[in-house]
Amino acid sequence: MTGPRYTPLVASLPSTVPFVGPETQERSRGRPFAARLGANESIFGPSPKAIEAMQAAAAEVWKYGDAQNHDLRQALAAHHGIGPGNIIVGEGIDGLLGYLTRLVVAEGDTVVTSNGAYPTFNYHVAGFGGVLHKVPYRGDHEDPEALIAKAVEVQPKLIYISNPDNPMGSHHPAETILKMIAAVPEGSLLILDEAYIDLAPEGTAPEIAPDDPRVIRMRTFSKGYGMAGARVGYAIAAPALITAFDKIRNHFGMCRTSQIGALAALRDQPWLEEVKARVAHARARLAEIAAANDLTALPSATNFVAIDCGADGDFARRVLAELTARDIFVRMPFVAPQDRCIRVSCGPDADLDAFAAALPEALEAARR
Amino acid sequence: MTGPRYTPLVASLPSTVPFVGPETQERSRGRPFAARLGANESIFGPSPKAIEAMQAAAAEVWKYGDAQNHDLRQALAAHHGIGPGNIIVGEGIDGLLGYLTRLVVAEGDTVVTSNGAYPTFNYHVAGFGGVLHKVPYRGDHEDPEALIAKAVEVQPKLIYISNPDNPMGSHHPAETILKMIAAVPEGSLLILDEAYIDLAPEGTAPEIAPDDPRVIRMRTFSKGYGMAGARVGYAIAAPALITAFDKIRNHFGMCRTSQIGALAALRDQPWLEEVKARVAHARARLAEIAAANDLTALPSATNFVAIDCGADGDFARRVLAELTARDIFVRMPFVAPQDRCIRVSCGPDADLDAFAAALPEALEAARR
């Protein structure tokens, strides 16, 4: 008796995971983290109204969720001033990136992204047999011109950019993104990952005609709205692309409670404003903590701050290990030269106090 | 400007959905259903302890769920007396069927199932370019011998059977399934969909060595546990197959609140016993309602009852339409001769009262 016969593609895939979760680390460490600042979750939490709505909906979880995500799509359409036919709701941006990759990437198809950009996207591309072409960051920014130049060269099915950027926290103004969209080669689709857009300065989100076939924008309730565990993302694109998801998606894949929670969260824009203010405060605080340790906090348009540890990746990895040993969960960029930084999520003062207390010791230990 | 270039496979796929949800129907009807008896949801609801656990967890939904589903897998392993390495947790059986199909089915690969069995599985197979070979039911049962005979003929990657069966509610005893497993051809994998097993009589679930490479069992919290909207399913299989899911699954795809709710539900086995008793009562009640209308309720090992409307599929479709017009949501099998039936979910007396009141009128209208 042998096992099942996997597809040749699956047989060739490595058994890697894009991220090791904090719970996995806690189990291997044998004790919990004191501050959970590594996954850019919103420790400020979701809107109290969203919590209330989810609690009220808990007893009705015997019902499958609405396969069309109708109410949430209607509300999102009104919120953005577009049609519900321009919106697909899915199981987080991760789920939507998986579906989108499956829609367009067959084995051997090319995809363009930045070296050091979102690894879960790369995981999906590899998982469908796509061939990744990576361009370097320019400074601490993804480089729209280099991405487009590479796209003109390799004519990819997909081009990926996040704005604001993860893991560096940098951003481009709307005009730069609009210029990029105008240069997308015929037959390529630009993925504009706007996971952190709710926390970016005015003028970061471009106005895009929702029917523009060259671009799909990804949004999420995981960051500003503080509902990472609910798994609610959405994309805005031309109706033909939106309906294509219906050919392959898990139609009843959305958690009903999450649908209801996201709707309540969207309706509570004052809470999002409150979170923005708290994030701004935490960013400033993280910059102070960095400065007090003779380190540099990079400017951030997100709910996290990349802190330049002032040396190379090996040093930053040692700092990260020492922080972990002191019960502080943080992450860091994967590739050089961005990996000179550690990446710290915004959070309430108590969490940042724990980070501030651990950092000097961690730096000292890393320097030994 | 044209849109993205879809894969040839995706371009060839129809834009069908496996099921039209009740909310979609309510919107097109312009009014809500009075009784929601069509999707085999558990109207008796989840364990009160699961509700409580989800309510308590709502405020912590800012955290991503544990990518390894560790606590739930440990508890399931203890519950089944197997190792956690034999268990994969996913976004409902629908999600797991999608992943499994992707693992083994490349374009042109063959798959064997029954004509009239679970359409969402067929949707996934078609979605990855698989070629379905269907064998007829034998009476109102899926036919293990015919499935194996077809498998021996076409050497499929996957063979699908549900036990108990959906949509007929019939079941095979454990010995029949064990005999089937023993006959699975080398290189084929049997999917044993046990979504309804919690509601089946003793002796339906076979003892299978969890490391047996010929079979993967699918279980869910959607039916007996009453948590369809939470999207928690799991599969039991050999460790090599379990770890293969890690190559492609959405690692952070599970809703955190659902993970916590499922764990609490699993721990409340007395609630499951209570649900079983209520389901048994409802099955008997549905049989009485059928008999009072000179119809025959088929024996059921599930939380629904197939009611033979006594004529052909066209007649049953008219009955269904007339029930829908009277605000009763039910569904029915898709293919002949099973489509002589309508399929009615178990529920509290109030829901069955509504069905009982509507059925005579619906039958009369259908006969006109």
Side-chain angles (χ1 to χ4, degrees), chain B residues 321-333:
Chain B
E322 296 293 344
L323 285 168
T324 304
R326 286 162 181 80
D327 299 341
I328 308 294
F329 169 52
V330 292
R331 284 193 178 125
M332 61 181 287

Side-chain angles (χ1 to χ4, degrees), chain A residues 1-7 10-11 13-21 23-24 27 36 39 41-43 45-46 51 54-55 58-59 61-66 68 70-71 91 94-95 102-106 123-124 127-128 155-157 186-189 212-214 222-223 226-231 240-241 243-258 331, chain B residues 1-7 10-11 13-21 23-24 27 36 39 41-43 45-46 51 54-55 58-59 61-66 68 70-71 91 94-95 102-106 123-124 127-128 155-157 186-189 212-214 222-223 226-231 240-241 243-258 331:
Chain A
M1 296 190 297
T2 58
R5 291 169 285 161
Y6 300 104
T7 68
V10 165
L13 291 176
S15 283
T16 54
V17 301
F19 291 106
V20 179
E23 287 84 1
T24 304
R27 286 188 290 271
R36 185 168 162 129
E41 298 159 326
S42 187
I43 311 174
I51 295 171
M54 289 185 284
Q55 288 172 335
V61 81
W62 60 267
K63 296 178 186 173
Y64 286 101
D66 173 22
Q68 297 188 320
H70 176 270
D71 296 349
E91 303 93 332
D94 284 0
R102 181 174 161 197
L103 283 176
V104 300
V105 175
Y123 168 83
H124 288 309
F128 289 103
Q155 298 289 316
K157 289 286 187 80
E186 184 76 23
S188 293
L189 178 70
D212 192 320
R214 297 170 298 187
S222 296
K223 303 303 178 186
M227 295 180 58
R231 310 285 60 221
L241 176 52
T243 54
F245 281 84
D246 280 343
K247 292 182 170 189
I248 58 156
R249 71 187 178 97
N250 188 0
H251 287 267
F252 291 88
M254 291 297 296
C255 173
R256 186 182 185 92
T257 317
S258 298
R331 284 194 178 126
Chain B
M1 297 191 296
T2 58
R5 292 169 284 160
Y6 300 104
T7 69
V10 165
L13 291 175
S15 284
T16 53
V17 300
F19 291 106
V20 179
E23 287 86 359
T24 304
R27 286 189 289 271
R36 186 169 162 129
E41 298 159 327
S42 187
I43 311 174
I51 296 171
M54 289 186 284
Q55 289 172 334
V61 81
W62 60 268
K63 297 178 185 173
Y64 286 99
D66 173 22
Q68 297 188 319
H70 176 270
D71 295 350
E91 303 93 331
D94 284 1
R102 182 174 161 198
L103 283 176
V104 300
V105 175
Y123 168 82
H124 287 309
F128 288 102
Q155 297 289 316
K157 288 286 187 80
E186 184 76 23
S188 293
L189 178 70
D212 192 321
R214 297 170 299 187
S222 296
K223 302 304 178 186
M227 295 179 58
R231 310 285 59 221
L241 177 52
T243 55
F245 282 83
D246 279 343
K247 292 181 169 190
I248 58 156
R249 72 186 178 97
N250 188 0
H251 286 267
F252 290 88
M254 291 297 296
C255 174
R256 185 183 186 90
T257 318
S258 298
R331 284 193 178 125

Side-chain angles (χ1 to χ4, degrees), chain A residues 83-214:
Chain A
N86 291 109
I87 298 168
I88 179 85
V89 171
E91 303 93 332
I93 288 181
D94 284 0
L96 290 167
L97 286 173
Y99 290 138
L100 177 62
T101 304
R102 181 174 161 197
L103 283 176
V104 300
V105 175
E107 285 183 58
D109 283 348
T110 56
V111 172
V112 167
T113 186
S114 303
N115 191 23
Y118 194 44
T120 303
F121 175 62
N122 299 355
Y123 168 83
H124 288 309
V125 171
F128 289 103
V131 178
L132 282 160
H133 294 261
K134 297 178 183 176
V135 303
Y137 276 53
R138 176 189 291 243
D140 296 316
H141 288 71
E142 289 175 73
D143 184 345
E145 288 181 24
L147 287 163
I148 290 294
K150 180 58 75 177
V152 168
E153 180 194 333
V154 303
Q155 298 289 316
K157 289 286 187 80
L158 296 171
I159 309 165
Y160 176 91
I161 191 170
S162 60
N163 192 49
D165 171 72
N166 177 19
M168 302 310 286
S170 59
H171 74 289
H172 292 289
E175 309 83 68
T176 304
I177 300 298
L178 287 173
K179 228 171 100 181
M180 186 181 184
I181 294 169
V184 168
E186 184 76 23
S188 293
L189 178 70
L190 178 69
I191 303 172
L192 177 58
D193 183 342
E194 297 184 321
Y196 295 96
I197 197 78
D198 301 314
L199 306 158
E202 285 288 314
T204 306
E207 279 219 27
I208 306 172
D211 292 357
D212 192 320
R214 297 170 298 187

